[in-house]
Structure formats: structure tokens, C-alpha cells
Amino acid sequence: MLIISFILGGLLFAPAWIVPLAIAGSVAGPAAPGPVHGAVTSGNWGYPLEGEWTVGRGSGWQPVDGCAYCPSDHKGFDMTSVAMPCGAIIHAASAGHVINAGPTPGWGNTVRIDHGGGIVTLYGHMQWDSLLVAVGQDVDIGTPLGAEGSTGKSTGCHLHYEIQRDGVAIDPEPFMAALGLPLQ
């Protein structure tokens, strides 16, 4: 009940253009269909969402029309589950150590995993009260982390998937493609 009150309260004070997006659970901007994936892995890495997903914003300069709080220089890759845009389970893309699990400025409810070698993955905008992991926990590839949502600076349900190398966000598309896991 508290979550519903929070959501409805947020919609009352949201700009008028956000309400239809929040209700529909769509991501701002054009969405292209993504490939169909099961629990696909390639070596020690896999996709953070199963099944078919759509692509939102990729990495780089991509302003969101009408969204003053959305960063123009996008540092990750947005993907939305086709089967269940809000509530789809997000999985660890690789084994590692959970270094953040909870509210994070900009990303809302977030999990960050340290995979060693300076590589960290970030899973942002997850639903409140959906996290299935805790700081300090070791996870395997495919471990459920939480549910796709629209927390933080978000205009609809999606997963913000980010890869950081030595503390700096890098484009996840070539990183994942080099592992045999294309995001487009």
C-alpha cells in the first residue's frame, strides 16, 4: 500500500507528459526490437534480461526531448523486457561481489557488482523493495538481483545497464559484443 501511495503521489506532482509514460511503462524515445534471448551466456558473461527486450537509449550523447532531469550524455544501455516491462527479473551478467544494493542518486534502486580486474556492472532503476541481493554477497552469473522498474531519473520501466572500467563508465555495446553477446 505504501508503494502504491508513493507512486500515485509521484504522478500527482509529475509533469503532465510523464504520466502517460509512467502508466504505460514505456521508455522515452524510439525503441527498436532487441534479439530474443533465453538465459543466454557466453563464457563467464550473459544478458541481464531474459527473453525478448526492446532497446531504449544506448551510450553517448542522447538527449531526451522534454526531460529536463534526464542526462544528455547517457552512460549506459537501456533495455525493456517485452514480456513484462515492469517487474521482469534482472540477473547478474557475470559472477562477482555486490558492492551496492539500494538507493543511488540518479539511478534509484540500484545494484553494482564488482567482477574483478577493474570491471563493475550497474543495474539501475529497479523497483523499490525488489532487491534480492545484499552488499557483501557473492553472486554467480544469472543470479536474480531484483525487478525492472522506474526509480531514480527514469521516464518509464526499464533496466539501465552500465559497465564501468576502473571507475569510468564505458559503452556496454562493444564490451558485450566482444564477449559474443550483442546488445543490438
Side-chain angles (χ1 to χ4, degrees):
M1 189 65 175
L2 179 62
I3 292 172
I4 293 171
S5 298
F6 177 77
I7 292 170
L8 291 177
L11 290 177
L12 289 176
F13 297 104
W17 64 269
I18 280 185
V19 174
L21 292 175
I23 291 170
S26 64
V27 176
V36 176
H37 304 291
V40 176
T41 62
S42 177
N44 296 325
W45 285 81
Y47 290 111
L49 283 177
E50 291 182 27
E52 187 177 0
W53 37 267
T54 59
V55 175
R57 294 195 305 159
S59 187
W61 185 257
Q62 297 187 11
V64 177
D65 290 335
C67 184
Y69 65 82
C70 296
S72 295
D73 190 13
H74 194 239
K75 300 293 185 184
F77 189 86
D78 292 346
M79 47 201 325
T80 304
S81 171
V82 171
M84 185 187 321
C86 285
I89 299 299
I90 295 167
H91 303 273
S94 188
H97 188 76
V98 176
I99 57 174
N100 174 249
T104 305
W107 295 296
N109 208 21
T110 301
V111 170
R112 289 178 61 230
I113 300 173
D114 184 344
H115 302 284
I119 300 296
V120 170
T121 51
L122 180 147
Y123 310 81
H125 306 310
M126 294 203 279
Q127 290 180 352
W128 297 119
D129 299 322
S130 75
L131 297 188
L132 302 170
V133 295
V135 172
Q137 181 178 339
D138 289 325
V139 296
D140 292 322
I141 182 175
T143 297
L145 303 176
E148 186 177 356
S150 184
T151 60
K153 293 182 178 179
S154 170
T155 58
C157 286
H158 69 283
L159 164 64
H160 173 88
Y161 178 59
E162 186 171 309
I163 298 175
Q164 301 167 353
R165 178 180 285 133
D166 298 323
V168 177
I170 62 170
D171 188 344
E173 290 183 66
F175 180 91
M176 295 294 283
L179 298 168
L181 299 163
L183 293 175
Q184 293 283 347

